[in-house]
Amino acid sequence: LGDGLSGLIKVYPNPVTRQLIIESDYVQGLHVTLVDAGGSIVYEQRELTGSSWVIDAEAFNPGIYFVIIQQGTLRSVWK
């Protein structure tokens, strides 16, 4: 839905069952937000470092979520 960071970051699997995985060998200091279809923030983490991050999604209700990843002024959204 946005291409500011989408070529540098992998977000999978889709659909998510247990874990959401975010990978990037090129981007550090990410701000990750998960938003449900109603616009409520269900997860937020700032200043992620490393090359791979796992979010436990088992506690989330079934539905559509948006993954918003920002670094500085760059922003991308995955559905």
Side-chain angles (χ1 to χ4, degrees):
L1 295 175
D3 49 13
L5 294 168
S6 60
L8 302 174
I9 298 173
K10 295 178 188 174
V11 177
Y12 64 92
N14 189 1
V16 173
T17 53
R18 295 182 184 163
Q19 296 178 327
L20 174 67
I21 300 168
I22 300 170
E23 293 182 343
S24 176
D25 292 330
Y26 307 103
V27 182
Q28 297 290 310
L30 298 177
H31 177 187
V32 176
T33 308
L34 269 65
V35 179
D36 66 17
S40 297
I41 295 173
V42 297
Y43 176 89
E44 187 170 32
Q45 183 69 44
R46 296 178 182 269
E47 298 301 321
L48 291 175
T49 59
S51 61
S52 181
W53 308 275
V54 176
I55 298 170
D56 181 7
E58 289 189 273
F60 301 152
N61 292 324
I64 297 173
Y65 292 86
F66 297 91
V67 179
I68 303 166
I69 300 179
Q70 295 176 269
Q71 183 197 41
T73 59
L74 297 176
R75 175 183 170 172
S76 289
V77 179
W78 286 260
K79 181 177 172 183

